[in-house]
Amino acid sequence: MERDSTAGGAEDLLLEDKVSKLRAGSLHKHELAEAMEVEQEGLVEHQPLEQDDLNFEKWKPKPKPKRTLHEKIDDLKTYLWNAETKEFMGRSGKSWSLILLFYSALYIFLAAMFAGCMCCLMWSISPYAPTYNDRVMPPGLTMSPHVEHVAHGFDIAFNASDQKSWKKYARALEAHLKPYDDKVQERRNIPCEGNTYFMQDDLEESAERKACQFKRSMLGECSGTHDKDFGYSKGKPCIIVKMNRILGYLPGQGTPVNVTCGVKKGSTEVLGDVEFFPSNVFNLRYYPYYGKLRHVNYSSPLVAVRFSGVQSETQLHVQCKLNGKGIINDSATDRFLGSVSFTLQVGA
């Protein structure tokens, strides 16, 4: 009996062991099946795209159908005035009112601010004299006639026997001297004597200043009254030089400023005699200048220069310079500061 019971227990143990092994095998198979499913899913995810997927044309947006002209006109009419929503150009009446109100207020404010700034500016400056006048440059020198402009100054070239070649210079001088006619000067300005500054600072700021007469007859042979050709028909040309106007400027610091003319390069003999009318000095009685609002009839003093012995058929480079205290005539950056240069060629 004991042997039978022992044998039966052994058989039970063997049976249980087989069952546990079968269970373990089934579990292992189940895990393998799950792993294979995950791997297959991964393979599916990493599959290459089909040829149909690489056709990008199908992904492009389809073109909108073309609209007819009638449809476009209808849309424009609707945009201008939408009867359903009561909107004009996409906005209601209230929206337009607010926009107009905003921009009206903005531009009114800007205009008021600009007007206020201009009023403050005009109130702070004087129309008769600059507020700050501490960097006044010395005067420049200009000449007439200046018909033809060249790189280094002006060009005067003519033949004394050819009227067409010098007539333009005579006309330019005549036009320049027209305001200096004796009768015009007698009517507008007062006669003055002496060689001192004509100071009128004791008058009110807005009061008109008087100006001294400068008659063209004072220019003698270069006045155009005796010789209408200003010497060009005789091969003895005249030019006229004057200083630039500078408000309140006192040239020479009490000493008259004079003018000299000479050849820039070469011998001075080719230029011959140089005559000045009425003299080579700018008289101090014509200064200071008080501006066009107060010195209404002011006439700048002139110096006429006559070249009576120029060597014919020779091109000369002539320079006329101002000389005096506080005068600069050798500036490398401004050719007209205190001097003026021109070429002169006289033919027979």
Side-chain angles (χ1 to χ4, degrees):
M1 294 292 292
E2 290 179 0
R3 288 182 180 178
D4 295 335
S5 62
T6 305
E11 290 178 357
D12 292 337
L13 290 173
L14 290 173
L15 181 60
E16 290 177 1
D17 185 35
K18 290 180 180 180
V19 170
S20 60
K21 288 181 179 181
L22 289 172
R23 287 179 180 176
S26 63
L27 290 172
H28 182 65
K29 290 180 181 179
H30 181 68
E31 291 176 357
L32 288 175
E34 289 182 353
M36 291 178 65
E37 289 179 0
V38 172
E39 185 177 359
Q40 288 178 357
E41 289 178 358
L43 291 174
V44 170
E45 290 179 358
H46 294 85
Q47 297 185 327
L49 294 173
E50 298 293 337
Q51 185 64 30
D52 188 46
D53 295 332
L54 296 176
N55 185 12
F56 295 103
E57 294 295 330
K58 73 175 187 177
W59 301 105
K60 291 184 179 180
K62 296 182 180 180
K64 296 181 180 180
K66 293 184 178 180
R67 302 166 63 195
T68 63
L69 179 61
H70 182 70
E71 291 175 341
K72 293 180 180 179
I73 293 175
D74 289 341
D75 290 343
L76 179 61
K77 291 180 179 179
T78 304
Y79 170 73
L80 293 176
W81 174 247
N82 193 328
E84 296 179 358
T85 59
K86 306 297 182 182
E87 290 180 347
F88 174 69
M89 298 181 68
R91 292 183 179 273
S92 62
K94 181 180 179 181
S95 177
W96 280 114
S97 301
L98 292 175
I99 289 176
L100 293 175
L101 179 63
F102 170 77
Y103 281 105
S104 298
L106 174 64
Y107 286 116
I108 289 173
F109 170 75
L110 293 176
M113 184 174 64
F114 176 76
C117 292
M118 292 301 297
C119 288
C120 293
L121 176 65
M122 298 305 296
W123 175 77
S124 62
I125 63 176
S126 171
Y128 305 104
T131 305
Y132 301 102
N133 198 22
D134 55 345
R135 295 188 64 183
V136 176
M137 293 293 293
L141 190 67
T142 59
M143 64 164 286
S144 182
H146 48 82
V147 178
E148 298 178 16
H149 225 70
V150 292
H152 56 272
F154 304 96
D155 184 16
I156 299 177
F158 65 96
N159 293 324
S161 59
D162 185 6
Q163 183 179 4
K164 292 182 179 180
S165 65
W166 53 260
K167 194 64 177 179
K168 54 188 175 184
Y169 302 120
R171 289 175 180 172
L173 288 171
E174 179 64 28
H176 185 74
L177 292 176
K178 201 66 178 177
Y180 292 89
D181 286 343
D182 290 7
K183 292 183 179 180
V184 175
Q185 290 292 314
E186 290 173 359
R187 184 174 67 254
R188 293 180 178 178
N189 300 326
I190 63 173
C192 300
E193 299 292 338
N195 190 19
T196 57
Y197 296 126
F198 188 13
M199 306 298 297
Q200 302 177 68
D201 295 335
D202 55 336
L203 300 177
E204 294 183 4
E205 184 181 30
S206 59
E208 183 177 342
R209 269 54 173 179
K210 297 179 180 179
C212 294
Q213 296 176 2
F214 191 96
K215 300 178 179 180
R216 66 184 296 176
S217 59
M218 299 167 59
L219 300 178
E221 297 296 328
C222 293
S223 64
T225 55
H226 305 294
D227 183 6
K228 298 293 183 181
D229 302 334
F230 296 92
Y232 284 85
S233 60
K234 302 175 183 178
K236 301 178 180 180
C238 291
I239 67 168
I240 294 174
V241 296
K242 68 176 181 179
M243 284 194 295
N244 291 342
R245 298 180 182 181
I246 300 178
L247 195 145
Y249 181 67
L250 300 175
Q253 302 175 9
T255 304
V257 176
N258 64 79
V259 180
T260 56
C261 295
V263 180
K264 295 182 68 175
K265 295 181 181 180
S267 174
T268 58
E269 296 180 357
V270 295
L271 189 60
D273 296 332
V274 180
E275 302 174 81
F276 298 92
F277 303 96
S279 67
N280 69 330
V281 172
F282 288 100
N283 200 294
L284 297 181
R285 63 173 174 261
Y286 298 101
Y287 303 97
Y289 171 60
Y290 287 95
K292 62 181 181 180
L293 293 180
R294 293 181 292 183
H295 243 155
V296 180
N297 298 319
Y298 179 80
S299 298
S300 299
L302 308 175
V303 171
V305 185
R306 185 187 186 191
F307 303 97
S308 55
V310 180
Q311 183 175 332
S312 61
E313 307 298 339
T314 304
Q315 188 180 56
L316 307 177
H317 294 275
V318 184
Q319 183 182 46
C320 294
K321 301 191 297 184
L322 293 173
N323 305 282
K325 293 181 180 180
I327 298 297
I328 299 176
N329 56 23
D330 55 355
S331 174
T333 58
D334 190 348
R335 297 191 302 270
F336 298 99
L337 184 60
S339 65
V340 62
S341 300
F342 60 96
T343 60
L344 177 62
Q345 183 173 357
V346 180

